[in-house]
Amino acid sequence: MVFWSFITENVLQLLMMLIGFGLLVLEIYLPGFGVAGISGSVLLLAGIVLAADSVVQGLVIGLIAVVFLGIAFTIAMRAGAKGRILNKRLVLNAVATKPQKENPLDYYEGLEGKAVTPLNPVGSAEIEGVRLSVLSDDGFIESGAQVKVVRIEGKQLYVRKV
């Protein structure tokens, strides 16, 4: 009966704590600027302070809230590690991937060479003494024509007739 009377007397405070807890859990799943986390912390703390009749009761309610937040955090981290959040694993990109190196083909941008085969639109060209697979950017180019690398997209060199 004491528990039920506590609930009926502190509906507003319990609602504040519940909303604060929900906002903190939301911050765990959708980290960002921190508005949800800060406002959730404020609501949770205010609900605890307003609901507690003594310091001891406030500490007990706060400890219970911390335990529940710890459980929610543990569940979120385990689900994230297994890829159950947004269908992707929870891993920092800086740790998970190697730093992107420059595209070695960027060296050829702006250089001129000679079409070794007809480019219709794909063929081969010799640029700086290296035979490369290229794609004509302006239609058919006959074999032996002077070409210039105008752009690079990924591993594809685009050339135009000079």
Side-chain angles (χ1 to χ4, degrees):
M1 214 45 155
V2 174
F3 180 71
W4 183 252
S5 66
F6 176 79
I7 290 176
T8 56
E9 292 172 6
N10 298 302
V11 173
L12 179 63
Q13 293 88 339
L14 291 174
L15 190 60
M16 288 172 64
M17 286 188 278
L18 187 63
I19 292 171
F21 182 80
L23 287 172
L24 286 171
V25 169
L26 180 68
E27 182 72 22
I28 291 171
Y29 281 98
L30 300 171
F33 187 63
V35 174
I38 293 170
S39 56
S41 299
V42 169
L43 277 173
L44 187 61
L45 188 61
I48 291 171
V49 169
L50 293 174
D53 292 331
S54 66
V55 173
V56 174
Q57 189 178 18
L59 290 175
V60 169
I61 295 170
L63 183 62
I64 292 170
V66 168
V67 167
F68 279 122
L69 284 172
I71 292 169
F73 183 75
T74 303
I75 291 170
M77 291 301 107
R78 287 183 185 238
K82 293 180 181 177
R84 294 184 185 145
I85 298 175
L86 304 174
N87 292 329
K88 57 183 172 178
R89 295 179 65 96
L90 185 63
V91 180
L92 296 174
N93 286 336
V95 175
T97 60
K98 295 177 183 173
Q100 292 293 327
K101 294 182 180 175
E102 277 189 39
N103 186 349
L105 296 177
D106 287 343
Y107 167 78
Y108 294 102
E109 190 164 7
L111 296 180
E112 293 184 10
K114 183 172 91 173
V116 177
T117 63
L119 306 181
N120 191 16
V122 177
S124 295
E126 188 173 303
I127 302 168
E128 297 274 313
V130 179
R131 189 173 178 155
L132 300 165
S133 177
V134 296
L135 183 68
S136 172
D137 200 32
D138 59 355
F140 179 79
I141 300 175
E142 65 277 349
S143 177
Q146 285 293 109
V147 293
K148 180 179 182 178
V149 178
V150 292
R151 74 176 194 274
I152 300 165
E153 291 181 7
K155 295 187 178 194
Q156 186 63 57
L157 296 169
Y158 289 86
V159 296
R160 284 198 179 144
K161 195 173 183 178
V162 178

